[in-house]
Amino acid sequence: MTSVAVAWLECRMVDRIPAGDHYIVLAAPVRGGHGGRDQSRPLLYHDRRYTSVTEPKEGTKP
């Protein structure tokens, strides 16, 4: 299965804030876009996996 990003952002790093052994990165969007073959279906995370919304099949209850 091939994954395609629904949307993307290119950002400029504004600041890096120390937070314990990590950093919080603040970024300002420079440009962005969307693409892919199936732009109408959003990506969802459910039950520890990624999936997308699909149209119900004929004859099934909602």
Side-chain angles (χ1 to χ4, degrees):
M1 182 171 145
T2 302
S3 297
V4 176
V6 175
W8 58 272
L9 287 173
E10 183 178 315
C11 298
R12 176 181 55 84
M13 188 168 58
V14 175
D15 200 1
R16 231 172 48 161
I17 303 165
D21 62 346
H22 293 76
Y23 285 94
I24 298 170
V25 176
L26 301 179
V30 175
R31 63 186 185 125
H34 58 88
R37 294 175 295 218
D38 194 0
Q39 297 175 16
S40 63
R41 294 172 34 188
L43 181 65
L44 302 175
Y45 185 75
H46 173 69
D47 200 19
R48 297 183 178 162
R49 66 184 182 94
Y50 288 98
T51 186
S52 61
V53 177
T54 58
E55 293 294 322
K57 294 180 183 173
E58 277 189 43
T60 61
K61 293 182 181 181

